[in-house]
Amino acid sequence: MEPLSWLFLAVVAAGVAGSVLPLVPGGLLSVVGVVGYWWSTGFVEPSALVVAVLVGVGVLTMTVDYVGGAIAARAGGASLVTTGVAVVVGLVLLLVAGPIGFLVGIAVAVFAVEFAQHADTERGLRVALYTTVGVLASSVVQVILTGSVLVVLLLIVFV
Protein backbone atom coordinates (compact mmCIF):
# COMPACT_ATOMS: atom_id res chain seq x y z
CA MET A 1 0.00 0.00 0.00
CA GLU A 2 1.23 3.47 -0.89
CA PRO A 3 2.29 5.93 1.86
CA LEU A 4 -0.46 8.31 0.74
CA SER A 5 -3.05 5.59 1.32
CA TRP A 6 -1.73 5.10 4.86
CA LEU A 7 -1.98 8.84 5.42
CA PHE A 8 -5.64 8.90 4.45
CA LEU A 9 -6.38 5.89 6.67
CA ALA A 10 -4.83 7.86 9.50
CA VAL A 11 -7.10 10.81 8.64
CA VAL A 12 -10.15 8.51 8.95
CA ALA A 13 -8.83 7.29 12.33
CA ALA A 14 -8.36 10.93 13.37
CA GLY A 15 -12.03 11.41 12.48
CA VAL A 16 -12.99 8.94 15.20
CA ALA A 17 -10.85 10.80 17.73
CA GLY A 18 -12.27 14.09 16.48
CA SER A 19 -15.75 12.89 17.31
CA VAL A 20 -15.00 13.30 21.01
CA LEU A 21 -12.49 16.14 20.91
CA PRO A 22 -13.96 19.63 21.05
CA LEU A 23 -13.68 21.72 17.90
CA VAL A 24 -12.27 18.83 15.83
CA PRO A 25 -14.65 17.95 12.98
CA GLY A 26 -14.70 14.15 13.14
CA GLY A 27 -17.23 13.70 10.36
CA LEU A 28 -15.36 16.01 8.02
CA LEU A 29 -12.07 14.21 8.70
CA SER A 30 -13.74 10.90 7.93
CA VAL A 31 -15.08 12.21 4.61
CA VAL A 32 -11.71 13.68 3.64
CA GLY A 33 -9.98 10.44 4.59
CA VAL A 34 -12.36 8.24 2.60
CA VAL A 35 -12.26 10.40 -0.51
CA GLY A 36 -8.50 10.81 -0.19
CA TYR A 37 -7.99 7.07 0.16
CA TRP A 38 -10.19 6.45 -2.87
CA TRP A 39 -8.20 9.02 -4.84
CA SER A 40 -4.89 7.45 -3.70
CA THR A 41 -5.99 4.11 -5.19
CA GLY A 42 -6.81 5.68 -8.54
CA PHE A 43 -10.54 5.57 -7.75
CA VAL A 44 -10.39 1.76 -7.81
CA GLU A 45 -10.85 0.80 -4.17
CA PRO A 46 -13.44 0.98 -2.68
CA SER A 47 -16.22 1.08 -5.25
CA ALA A 48 -18.02 4.33 -5.98
CA LEU A 49 -21.12 3.00 -4.21
CA VAL A 50 -19.18 2.25 -1.02
CA VAL A 51 -17.53 5.67 -1.17
CA ALA A 52 -20.95 7.30 -1.57
CA VAL A 53 -22.31 5.42 1.46
CA LEU A 54 -19.26 6.24 3.60
CA VAL A 55 -19.41 9.90 2.59
CA GLY A 56 -23.13 9.87 3.45
CA VAL A 57 -22.31 8.51 6.91
CA GLY A 58 -19.70 11.25 7.28
CA VAL A 59 -22.21 13.92 6.32
CA LEU A 60 -24.72 12.44 8.79
CA THR A 61 -22.00 12.64 11.46
CA MET A 62 -21.44 16.32 10.66
CA THR A 63 -25.17 16.92 10.95
CA VAL A 64 -25.34 15.19 14.33
CA ASP A 65 -22.32 17.20 15.47
CA TYR A 66 -23.89 20.55 14.60
CA VAL A 67 -27.53 20.01 15.52
CA GLY A 68 -27.63 17.08 17.97
CA GLY A 69 -27.57 19.19 21.13
CA ALA A 70 -30.10 21.66 19.76
CA ILE A 71 -32.47 18.84 18.81
CA ALA A 72 -32.17 17.39 22.31
CA ALA A 73 -32.83 20.79 23.85
CA ARG A 74 -35.92 21.29 21.71
CA ALA A 75 -37.11 17.75 22.51
CA GLY A 76 -36.78 18.58 26.19
CA GLY A 77 -38.96 21.64 25.74
CA ALA A 78 -36.36 24.41 25.40
CA SER A 79 -37.36 27.52 23.52
CA LEU A 80 -35.40 28.82 20.55
CA VAL A 81 -34.04 31.60 22.77
CA THR A 82 -32.84 29.04 25.32
CA THR A 83 -31.20 26.96 22.60
CA GLY A 84 -29.46 30.02 21.13
CA VAL A 85 -28.17 31.19 24.51
CA ALA A 86 -26.93 27.67 25.31
CA VAL A 87 -24.99 27.48 22.03
CA VAL A 88 -23.27 30.83 22.63
CA VAL A 89 -22.49 30.13 26.30
CA GLY A 90 -21.28 26.61 25.47
CA LEU A 91 -18.89 27.82 22.77
CA VAL A 92 -17.47 30.60 24.95
CA LEU A 93 -16.97 28.28 27.91
CA LEU A 94 -15.48 25.59 25.66
CA LEU A 95 -12.74 28.04 24.74
CA VAL A 96 -12.28 29.26 28.31
CA ALA A 97 -12.78 26.10 30.39
CA GLY A 98 -12.67 23.17 27.97
CA PRO A 99 -15.17 20.33 27.59
CA ILE A 100 -16.31 20.34 31.23
CA GLY A 101 -16.97 24.08 31.03
CA PHE A 102 -18.89 23.46 27.82
CA LEU A 103 -21.21 20.89 29.42
CA VAL A 104 -21.67 22.75 32.70
CA GLY A 105 -22.16 26.03 30.86
CA ILE A 106 -24.86 24.59 28.65
CA ALA A 107 -26.68 23.02 31.59
CA VAL A 108 -26.54 26.20 33.68
CA ALA A 109 -27.50 28.46 30.75
CA VAL A 110 -30.47 26.28 29.80
CA PHE A 111 -31.68 26.12 33.39
CA ALA A 112 -31.27 29.88 33.90
CA VAL A 113 -33.06 30.92 30.72
CA GLU A 114 -35.88 28.40 31.17
CA PHE A 115 -36.32 29.43 34.81
CA ALA A 116 -36.33 33.12 33.82
CA GLN A 117 -38.98 32.44 31.17
CA HIS A 118 -41.26 30.16 33.17
CA ALA A 119 -40.33 30.54 36.88
CA ASP A 120 -40.51 26.75 37.12
CA THR A 121 -37.54 25.01 38.73
CA GLU A 122 -38.67 21.53 37.73
CA ARG A 123 -39.09 22.53 34.10
CA GLY A 124 -35.70 24.26 34.04
CA LEU A 125 -33.97 21.21 35.51
CA ARG A 126 -35.74 18.84 33.12
CA VAL A 127 -34.83 20.88 30.04
CA ALA A 128 -31.23 21.29 31.25
CA LEU A 129 -30.95 17.53 31.80
CA TYR A 130 -32.39 16.72 28.36
CA THR A 131 -29.99 19.15 26.74
CA THR A 132 -26.91 17.89 28.58
CA VAL A 133 -27.74 14.24 27.93
CA GLY A 134 -28.43 15.10 24.30
CA VAL A 135 -25.03 16.73 23.88
CA LEU A 136 -23.33 13.67 25.39
CA ALA A 137 -25.44 11.29 23.30
CA SER A 138 -24.50 13.28 20.21
CA SER A 139 -20.84 12.54 20.89
CA VAL A 140 -21.57 8.84 21.32
CA VAL A 141 -23.47 8.74 18.03
CA GLN A 142 -20.60 10.53 16.30
CA VAL A 143 -18.07 7.98 17.60
CA ILE A 144 -20.28 5.12 16.40
CA LEU A 145 -20.70 6.67 12.96
CA THR A 146 -17.06 7.62 12.40
CA GLY A 147 -15.97 4.31 13.91
CA SER A 148 -18.14 2.44 11.44
CA VAL A 149 -16.56 4.37 8.55
CA LEU A 150 -13.11 3.39 9.83
CA VAL A 151 -14.04 -0.28 10.31
CA VAL A 152 -15.56 -0.56 6.82
CA LEU A 153 -12.53 1.06 5.23
CA LEU A 154 -10.14 -1.17 7.18
CA LEU A 155 -12.09 -4.25 6.12
CA ILE A 156 -11.83 -3.15 2.51
CA VAL A 157 -8.11 -2.52 2.81
CA PHE A 158 -7.09 -5.63 4.75
CA VAL A 159 -9.63 -8.31 3.82
Side-chain angles (χ1 to χ4, degrees), residues 18-44:
S19 295
V20 292
L21 296 173
L23 301 177
V24 179
L28 180 60
L29 287 172
S30 292
V31 168
V32 168
V34 166
V35 172
Y37 178 82
W38 190 44
W39 172 76
S40 76
T41 66
F43 304 105
V44 173

Side-chain angles (χ1 to χ4, degrees), residues 69 72-73 75-78 103 106-111 114 121-137:
L103 281 175
I106 286 176
V108 170
V110 167
F111 174 77
E114 284 297 311
T121 303
E122 186 178 314
R123 176 188 169 100
L125 288 172
R126 178 178 46 80
V127 174
L129 179 64
Y130 265 80
T131 304
T132 305
V133 169
V135 167
L136 292 171

Side-chain angles (χ1 to χ4, degrees), residues 54-138:
L54 294 177
V55 167
V57 171
V59 169
L60 176 61
T61 304
M62 288 186 270
T63 304
V64 168
D65 185 18
Y66 295 119
V67 300
I71 290 171
R74 297 288 294 153
S79 68
L80 287 174
V81 170
T82 301
T83 304
V85 168
V87 167
V88 171
V89 168
L91 287 175
V92 169
L93 287 178
L94 176 63
L95 297 173
V96 173
I100 300 299
F102 173 75
L103 281 175
V104 170
I106 286 176
V108 170
V110 167
F111 174 77
V113 173
E114 284 297 311
F115 184 77
Q117 288 178 339
H118 304 285
D120 183 351
T121 303
E122 186 178 314
R123 176 188 169 100
L125 288 172
R126 178 178 46 80
V127 174
L129 179 64
Y130 265 80
T131 304
T132 305
V133 169
V135 167
L136 292 171
S138 169

Side-chain angles (χ1 to χ4, degrees), residues 37 45-47 50 54 151-159:
Y37 178 82
E45 187 179 74
S47 70
V50 171
L54 294 177
V151 167
V152 168
L153 198 56
L154 289 174
L155 287 172
I156 288 168
V157 171
F158 294 112
V159 175

